[in-house]
Amino acid sequence: MERVSTNQLYSSGIPVSVPSPLPAIPATLDESFPRLPDGQNVLRDRELSSTTLPPHQNQSTVAPLHGQFQSSTGSVGPLRSSQAIRFSSVPNHEQYTNANTYNSQPPSTGSSSALNYGPQYGGFEPTLSDFPREAGPTWCPDPVDGLLGYTDDVSGGNNMTDNSSIAATDELAKQSEWWNDFMNYDWKDVVDNTACPETQPQVGPPAQSSIVVHQSAAQQSVSSQSGEPSAVAIPSPTAAGNTSNSKTRMRWTPELHERFVDAVNLLGGSEKATPKGVLKLMKADNLTIYHVKSHLQKYRTARYRPELSEGSSEKKAASKEDLPSIDLKGGNLDLTEALRLQLELQKRLHEQLEIQRSLQLRIEEQGKCLQMMLEQQCIPGTDKAVDASAEGSKRSPDLPESSTAKDVPESNQNGIAKQTESGDR
Amino acid sequence: MKFGKRLKKQVEESLPEWRDKFLEYKRLKKLVRLISSFSGAGDGDGRGEAAFVRLLDGEIDRINAFFLEQEEEFVIRQRELQETVEKMAGGGGGRRQAVDAAEMRRVRKEIVDLHGEMVLLLNYSAVNYTGLGKILKKYDKRTGRLLRLPFIDKVLRQPFFTTELISRLVRDCEATMEAVFSISSLEAMAGDRRFRKGCPDADVAEMAPMADHQGIFRNTVAALATMKELRSGSSTYGLFSLPPMSAAAPFSPESDVLQTCSRVQIVDPVTI
């Protein structure tokens, strides 16, 4: 199972940091894969060296863990890591089978890559950490090679020969990551919170549901202006793939914040209020103690600074002036005028952004409609033709079958383009 | 590379804390190049695409995280400012004189700054969206695959692109601004006049927010300029390209404002 890419990866010196406690895994590797010494040793070496990492680095190590299983297990093979994960965390066992069954279904996008397009569609992983930014240009060839080399091994792998193995492994890696975070998380805050048992089941299922693409419901609730907390659905996969499982992304609307402030005031102010108390008072679904805690922190900071300057401005004499940010050549600008200019500019930018955004939405919508129309007409090779003409009219004619159909989309394109422009006049 | 360069410039001009939060366009481009050279036109069993999608997802996650965090802060600050303004205005005619001039100026500045930051967040969202669209287009072009359409569909539904809340906050902010600017504080106006004479007295403690203030202004100018450049005409004009900016607006008053700004010299804050 030797692969050149693995050696490349190991010698590339990429600082793939491995999170500290993975007690189950080395032992598991020992018992499961005694026959494969090299990669196994390397894997264990990496894990052993990781014990020096402080637990609070959990945030940055999550993805690297992922990265480890992905990019550094070149010749070790995915099946090893995946099975190791399976053994080390019982919940993941069921999830593994779920992942497997899901991945064997072709994704609905129609993309020919049946690989892991489906689950990846809804799942987000900070895999950019696989390519550490500090490494600069050196990162470029090696980790990707390693990554691609890794996936090479996957397809050549032993037990799982179907394509779903890669996706399944990704899911597993994500879940192992999640599980690892779960283990690593600083539980002392949670211990004295009655919300603790609530969070566990919340974090547990999300890792499982990360496989399923469930964006629409939450996304729509996000744009609603209800007072109910809209937990973005992304958190479910994010819980597995993001820095820590507690950071399921909560979208704080003004209404929700208002409820928060009411609760805080009832408890005697931002200094006196505790996250636990606020959470209880708010009685909001999907809201966890972690959300409240971080929000309370932000709230305190926001209130503290104005109070600071308020007090100081009262004490100090009126001679203390605020400089404007802009200064006309040869003369100081009146503060109000400076502010007005700044404001004007900001308003202008906002207006342009709004226009641009609605345009973009409309363009995408029309593009989709066109695509659907052409698909319905069952014109052979038309989808490619649509994108070919859409993406680059300068594209080389390497799609002979679309040459005849090109006329259709092009005229449509002009029509739509005209539509777009005329719609703005 | 044009977009890449512009993105880089935009990032450089942006607020310091934001600089590493933008889309890693260059990195993604490298990956696209690698994939297209590694596997040729055909991507075998889609390994390269899998890696690319993973990277994109990671980026989206990062952008979402930053966006949501900023959004949360803005919600908090907006409410606080609103409360402050209400307190100041709620005093009634008789108490208006009691409003501290410096306080008034501070609040006004804060509101304008908050407004600016929110608009910059919208710009952040737009820039990242554009970058994603472009890199997906590149990918499709290089590999002959059809990743762009479905992926963009996903992007459109992301929190960082569903910016209705921030837009609403911006408008609320503008409404609050009406209130605060209408509170006529005679002392504030006198202070302004005094200031016009070039009173250099400035408290050091106020300089820190000053720097931020300047960053916002500079960043806004840069954002507008970048937007104009990006929209000035595409070499690969296609079905999904935006029309030039001037076509979108019947007149472009921003050019007037921008011209004014070009004459304006931004004073660098005194380093503390």
Side-chain angles (χ1 to χ4, degrees), chain A residues 70 111-113 115-117 120-121 123-128 131 133 139-140 144 147-148 151-152 155 170 215 219 225 232 234 238 242 249 251-252 254-255 257-258 261 295 298-299 302-303 309-310 313 316 318-328 332-337 339 342-343 345-350 352-354 356-357 359-361 363-364 367-368 370-371 384 387 390-391 394-395 413 421, chain B residues 24 27 30-31 34 38 46-47 50-51 54-55 57-59 61-62 65 67-69 71-73 75-76 79-80 103 105-106 112-113 115-116 119 122-123 126 129 137 140 144-154 156-159 161-165 167-168 170 174 177 192 194-196 198 201-203 206 210 213-214 216-217 221 223-224 227 231 235 238-242 245 253-254 257 264-265 267:
Chain A
Q70 289 227 14
S111 164
S112 62
S113 158
L115 194 52
N116 53 355
Y117 201 58
Q120 287 298 336
Y121 216 50
F124 300 114
E125 308 157 24
T127 53
L128 202 54
F131 316 112
R133 288 184 196 88
W139 75 267
C140 184
V144 179
L147 200 74
L148 298 177
T151 51
D152 259 320
S155 46
D170 290 342
Q215 291 191 13
Q219 289 302 333
Q225 297 181 3
V232 187
I234 288 152
T238 303
N242 205 349
R249 290 279 156 212
R251 199 141 198 203
W252 283 90
E255 290 76 21
H257 180 63
E258 196 63 40
V261 172
H295 195 74
K298 291 197 166 98
Y299 185 66
R303 288 181 74 81
S309 51
E310 248 177 58
S313 65
K316 273 150 192 162
S319 62
K320 183 176 72 97
E321 302 291 349
D322 307 336
L323 277 182
S325 63
I326 37 189
D327 183 29
L328 271 182
N332 287 335
L333 194 62
D334 183 290
L335 180 69
T336 313
E337 284 174 29
L339 283 181
Q342 181 180 341
L343 184 63
L345 206 61
Q346 287 163 190
K347 276 185 171 169
R348 188 65 54 220
L349 179 58
H350 183 214
Q352 287 301 320
L353 285 170
E354 295 278 285
Q356 179 168 300
R357 190 184 139 77
L359 272 180
Q360 280 166 339
L361 286 172
I363 285 175
E364 292 300 329
K368 269 199 309 195
L370 179 66
Q371 168 116 1
K384 280 215 165 177
D387 285 279
E391 306 297 62
K394 302 196 172 92
R395 199 165 169 187
Q413 169 191 340
E421 277 172 18
Chain B
E24 297 268 344
R27 187 167 300 206
K30 277 184 184 163
L31 184 55
L34 206 74
F38 178 77
R47 296 183 298 261
R54 260 199 307 273
L55 204 60
D57 284 346
E59 282 297 276
D61 195 31
R62 209 164 58 89
F67 184 89
L68 288 173
E69 187 136 341
E71 194 184 61
E72 187 180 344
E73 274 187 35
V75 167
I76 296 177
R79 196 196 168 280
E80 290 307 301
E103 181 62 23
R105 277 196 298 278
R106 189 187 65 81
V112 174
D113 278 354
H115 182 268
V119 173
L122 287 175
N123 181 60
Y129 174 81
K137 183 171 156 180
D140 280 3
R145 301 203 25 85
L146 301 173
L147 185 57
R148 188 186 171 283
L149 272 179
F151 206 92
I152 274 290
D153 214 27
K154 174 167 76 164
L156 286 176
R157 287 180 269 128
Q158 294 307 305
F161 196 71
T162 53
T163 54
E164 289 86 12
L165 176 58
S167 279
R168 189 184 121 201
V170 169
E174 285 166 12
M177 244 179 285
D192 285 350
R194 239 181 304 154
F195 176 80
R196 189 182 264 140
D201 241 28
D203 188 40
E206 301 250 345
M210 251 4 312
H213 198 198
Q214 286 214 2
I216 294 172
F217 181 77
V221 173
L224 274 170
M227 225 168 104
R231 299 267 299 274
S235 59
L239 191 60
F240 296 95
S241 303
L242 285 168
M245 204 148 104
E254 81 273 1
V257 183
V264 164
Q265 185 182 51
V267 176

